[in-house]
Amino acid sequence: MSTQGDARPDPEAGADEPKSLAGRHVGDRRVRVRRPAVRPFRYRGPGVLTAQAATFAPRGPGEAAAIRLRRVLFGRPLATDEEHEERLGKVKALAVFSSDNLSSVAYATESIMFTLIVAGSALLWLTMPISIVIVAVFGIIVVSYRQTIRAYPHGGGSYIVARENLGTTASLVAGGALLVDYVLTVSVSVAAGVAAITSAFPGPLADHRVEIAAVFIVGIMLINLRGIRESGTIFALPTYVFLATTLGLITFGLGRTLLGHPPTVTGVVAPDVPVVESLGLLLLMRAFADGCSAITGVEAISNGVPAFRRPEWRNARLTLTVMGALVAVMFLGISALALVAGASPSPQETVLSQLGRAVFGPGPVYYVFQLATMGILVLAANTAFADFPRLASFLARDGFMPSRFAYRGERLAFGAGIVALAVVAIAVLAAFGGRVEALIPLYAIGVFTSITVSQTGMVRHWWRERGAGWRPGIVINGVGAVACAIVAVIFAVAKFALGAWLIIVIIPALIVAMRFVHRQYERRRLDVGVEPEVVIGPPRRSQQVFLPVADLTRDVVQSVKFARTMAEHVTAIHATDDVAAGEALRERFRRQLPGIDFVIVESPFRKLVRPLVRYFEHIAQGDGEGVVIVLLPEVVPRHWWERFLYNDNAHRIRAELLGRPGILVADVPYRRA
């Protein structure tokens, strides 16, 4: 006997349909197997199939249009095994994870000067000493985080370090503080970017700061939904243009000063601020706290180590070092240049804009510098968009945030976290009118709290592990923990009356909310979880299957076929106020669906749902330990308006029966061709 093909189903191709054909000779037969043109699954091994791209093909023109639009906005879907291609090299990583830290030099010096000027412009010289102290603290933190990256080469953000070394409460303090800080990072950065552009182009734009900022945030959100590699590509140019122009500003400005021709700020009227307080410890603490905004974002690289190309931890440490050096040089350079050029804080023009005009003149280079400053400030929010979703995914996997934050979308991005961050940041901006000076007092408290907890956890890590280099590690991270704790206390004291009390309240409230979410997940696990050692055997008695029916229709026929796979005896239940019509329907069932029991439940008061529910309860009570299964046939509506055209008895029956002991309810949807 000759054969052609293979009659066995191919697990890669799905369900093949072999077709018998006549052979050349009497008694011969051959089998032809028609395989699909596109295989929806790929066979990976016994019992394992991988869904191919064809599995997700659109089923109609509406879905196809939605997919095309999604691909235009976000790009093609990425498979999980493409993740390594989405990782970042050092050049792009500097733009993605350092934009917040790099951009903060644009307003850190000005923040110090705004605080000092309330005691008189003669005290602005203190800007430089305060800047030097801040850079020293910043250097300690950078060195400390280099140790953290070395100890946690697969990613060691504050939350993970605290969880593994200090326990749940400390980890939630670090996680909650960072979540708040990331929201404020977006708000402050974008607000500062809008201030930069309104300084270069004064006029009606200043009256629409919140609207402009909201547009920027939505744009950054959409870019991040395309994936981390694409966001790095898009954000790299503004970052490096800002670096080039800012370093050029410092080089030319200080170079002219050394040659005896220092740049001079003109055209800015110094604010007529009455001396409302004298120089004191509290004023210096506030100025120091404001300037410490230059330190925010330093923890981002430690959180994002898994996003780097291999070797991840080496690339992350090098990027952190380069970032630290650039921030120190730019911060000190801008502070020195501001004092040399006579810049003064003004609500009409930023200090950096004043320096740009004084050094570059009012020409094209100045406008490029201002646009680059606006770009880096707006895109500084990208650091938060890179880290907030990742931190939220860690918290979600541990059960402290809704589980949807743990899953990545088509572009391997944590979409839920990205969207949530954008929405909350816009709300914060609107609440504070998009003003940088109103947001700054709330800023950086969270980051110093989280860094303190993280560095304390690292001290515990080195003491417990005692591996190579543990003694220097304890010293470095211990100094970092103490320094950041002092800064956090200074923030809390100096900024309490200016709005810091709000953050001190919000962080504990967020921790309470995360614990509530965790309790709900634990309660759900205890309610429905099955212990691993429990063995569930077959049922001890046959189950009963019932179908509430109104007529003999295709959805009912499909439900009957399904019910017959579950039990030998299937019963159709018909509630009616017309027994004669019920008997006619019984006759149709007997003739067209032989073997199906048919029960008529008469309802003289014309209520149909409650008699059915009572009937099922009665059956369940009389069945003892058995299970009563109620299948509800349901036609899937083609259009939204069809939901209003048909009665919802099936939904009402389901609502009445769900959760009742001894009764299981299941929908059997039928989709019309």
Side-chain angles (χ1 to χ4, degrees):
M1 182 182 297
S2 63
T3 61
Q4 183 180 11
D6 184 2
R8 292 178 302 170
D10 180 1
E12 293 190 27
D16 295 326
E17 297 182 1
K19 182 178 181 180
S20 296
L21 301 173
R24 294 182 179 179
H25 306 287
V26 177
D28 284 357
R29 72 177 180 87
R30 55 196 178 98
V31 178
R32 176 183 298 162
V33 178
R34 293 184 177 178
R35 304 194 187 278
V38 180
R39 299 181 179 183
F41 295 96
R42 181 161 58 90
Y43 182 69
R44 296 290 299 273
V48 181
L49 299 176
T50 299
Q52 302 289 78
T55 308
F56 308 99
R59 295 182 178 274
E63 187 177 353
I67 289 176
R68 284 195 296 270
L69 177 61
R70 205 160 58 235
R71 291 196 177 187
V72 169
L73 291 175
F74 308 121
R76 68 173 182 85
L78 298 174
T80 304
D81 56 10
E82 294 181 82
E83 182 179 9
H84 67 281
E85 300 177 7
E86 292 297 300
R87 296 196 175 191
L88 300 173
K90 294 183 286 293
V91 173
K92 289 185 180 180
L94 187 68
V96 170
F97 292 112
S98 303
S99 54
D100 175 25
N101 205 200
L102 294 172
S103 68
S104 59
V105 301
Y107 50 81
T109 298
E110 184 172 16
S111 298
I112 297 173
M113 299 177 78
F114 254 120
T115 304
L116 291 175
I117 204 168
V118 300
S121 57
L123 294 177
L124 290 180
W125 68 270
L126 289 171
T127 300
M128 196 63 197
I130 292 174
S131 299
I132 292 173
V133 175
I134 291 171
V135 168
V137 174
F138 178 66
I140 293 173
I141 295 174
V142 168
V143 174
S144 299
Y145 267 110
R146 280 178 56 86
Q147 295 294 106
T148 302
I149 294 172
R150 182 169 74 105
Y152 288 87
H154 301 294
S158 299
Y159 171 73
I160 293 177
V161 173
R163 183 190 65 189
E164 294 190 1
N165 297 286
L166 301 177
T168 300
T169 300
S171 69
L172 292 182
V173 170
L178 272 180
L179 290 177
V180 172
D181 182 71
Y182 287 143
V183 171
L184 290 170
T185 294
V186 176
S187 302
V188 171
S189 300
V190 175
V194 174
I197 201 65
T198 53
S199 295
F201 303 99
L205 288 178
D207 298 328
H208 301 282
R209 291 181 177 180
V210 174
E211 293 85 350
I212 297 171
V215 171
F216 283 147
I217 292 175
V218 171
I220 298 171
M221 177 193 75
L222 293 176
I223 292 172
N224 275 274
L225 288 173
R226 293 183 65 91
I228 189 170
R229 184 166 65 93
E230 290 219 13
S231 66
T233 301
I234 295 171
F235 296 152
L237 180 61
T239 301
Y240 287 103
V241 171
F242 172 76
L243 286 174
T245 52
T246 303
L247 292 174
L249 173 80
I250 296 169
T251 302
F252 293 141
L254 295 181
R256 285 173 53 182
T257 302
L258 293 175
L259 294 175
H261 303 286
T264 303
V265 171
T266 58
V268 175
V269 178
D272 185 15
V273 179
V275 178
V276 295
E277 62 178 290
S278 60
L279 178 64
L281 181 60
L282 184 60
L283 180 67
L284 289 175
M285 289 170 63
R286 285 209 304 267
F288 174 78
D290 283 335
C292 280
S293 57
I295 300 178
T296 58
V298 68
E299 80 291 340
I301 292 177
S302 178
N303 286 331
V305 172
F308 282 80
R309 289 178 181 166
R310 295 184 179 89
E312 294 90 343
W313 69 276
R314 290 186 185 276
N315 290 331
R317 287 187 72 177
L318 180 58
T319 304
L320 177 63
T321 303
V322 171
M323 179 192 74
L326 288 172
V327 170
V329 169
M330 290 192 296
F331 184 28
L332 292 177
I334 290 172
S335 295
L337 193 58
L339 295 178
V340 168
S344 178
S346 169
Q348 284 75 39
E349 186 177 11
T350 64
V351 167
L352 201 60
S353 175
Q354 297 172 32
L355 296 178
R357 282 193 303 103
V359 174
F360 297 132
V365 178
Y366 164 73
Y367 287 103
V368 170
F369 174 60
Q370 282 301 100
L371 289 173
T373 303
M374 181 209 69
I376 189 67
L377 285 168
V378 171
L379 299 182
N382 188 61
T383 297
F385 275 99
D387 272 359
F388 180 98
R390 192 178 299 275
L391 174 59
S393 73
F394 293 150
L395 288 163
R397 289 170 188 171
D398 291 340
F400 292 104
M401 289 187 70
S403 58
R404 69 183 61 205
F405 286 92
Y407 300 108
R408 293 179 294 178
E410 290 183 343
R411 296 288 298 179
L412 297 174
F414 297 102
I418 292 171
V419 174
L421 175 59
V423 171
V424 177
I426 290 174
V428 170
L429 264 173
F432 288 88
R435 294 178 294 115
V436 180
E437 63 274 15
L439 290 164
I440 282 289
L442 311 179
Y443 197 33
I445 300 177
V447 70
F448 278 101
T449 302
S450 65
I451 293 175
T452 302
V453 174
S454 172
Q455 298 308 303
T456 304
M458 285 301 302
V459 172
R460 177 77 181 276
H461 167 81
W462 293 123
W463 179 258
R464 187 174 57 190
E465 297 293 330
R466 301 200 182 191
W470 69 274
R471 287 184 177 88
I474 280 185
V475 173
I476 292 171
N477 291 123
V479 171
V482 172
C484 291
I486 293 173
V487 175
V489 172
I490 291 174
F491 260 101
V493 173
K495 296 293 184 179
F496 186 84
L498 300 177
W501 65 268
L502 187 61
I503 302 302
I504 296 173
V505 170
I506 288 176
I507 292 176
L510 186 57
I511 294 171
V512 170
M514 290 190 289
R515 284 195 174 276
F516 172 78
V517 171
H518 190 263
R519 282 198 301 271
Q520 296 303 308
Y521 279 125
E522 284 296 303
R523 185 176 301 170
R524 176 68 178 270
R525 184 184 65 82
L526 293 174
D527 289 343
V528 302
V530 178
E531 297 299 328
E533 62 273 8
V534 174
V535 178
I536 302 172
R540 285 178 284 179
R541 57 184 303 173
S542 61
Q543 54 203 17
Q544 301 184 70
V545 181
F546 296 87
L547 283 83
V549 298
D551 200 355
L552 204 166
T553 52
R554 292 183 180 180
D555 57 310
V556 171
V557 172
Q558 177 174 276
S559 299
V560 168
K561 291 179 179 179
F562 178 51
R564 281 173 164 166
T565 67
M566 305 173 67
E568 295 182 3
H569 302 290
V570 179
T571 303
I573 310 296
H574 178 64
T576 181
D577 60 347
D578 186 347
V579 176
E583 291 291 353
L585 183 59
R586 185 208 299 269
E587 178 59 24
R588 284 195 64 189
F589 266 77
R590 184 194 63 78
R591 177 168 43 86
Q592 295 182 265
L593 290 171
I596 299 296
D597 295 337
F598 194 94
V599 174
I600 300 174
V601 177
E602 183 183 7
S603 177
F605 298 101
R606 297 163 305 284
K607 294 183 180 294
L608 304 181
V609 173
R610 185 56 59 85
L612 284 175
V613 171
R614 294 298 187 198
Y615 176 82
F616 293 133
E617 290 177 343
H618 174 72
I619 294 295
Q621 291 172 359
D623 203 34
E625 297 182 358
V627 177
V628 172
I629 299 177
V630 179
L631 300 182
L632 300 175
E634 183 178 8
V635 178
V636 178
R638 290 176 177 170
H639 308 289
W640 62 269
W641 59 81
E642 293 185 4
R643 300 180 186 276
F644 302 98
L645 300 181
Y646 305 105
N647 66 55
D648 58 348
N649 284 343
H651 299 280
R652 293 167 59 195
I653 293 171
R654 183 195 309 111
E656 290 277 356
L657 294 178
L658 280 177
R660 295 185 182 272
I663 300 177
L664 298 179
V665 185
D667 292 328
V668 185
Y670 174 78
R671 187 181 297 274
R672 292 168 289 179

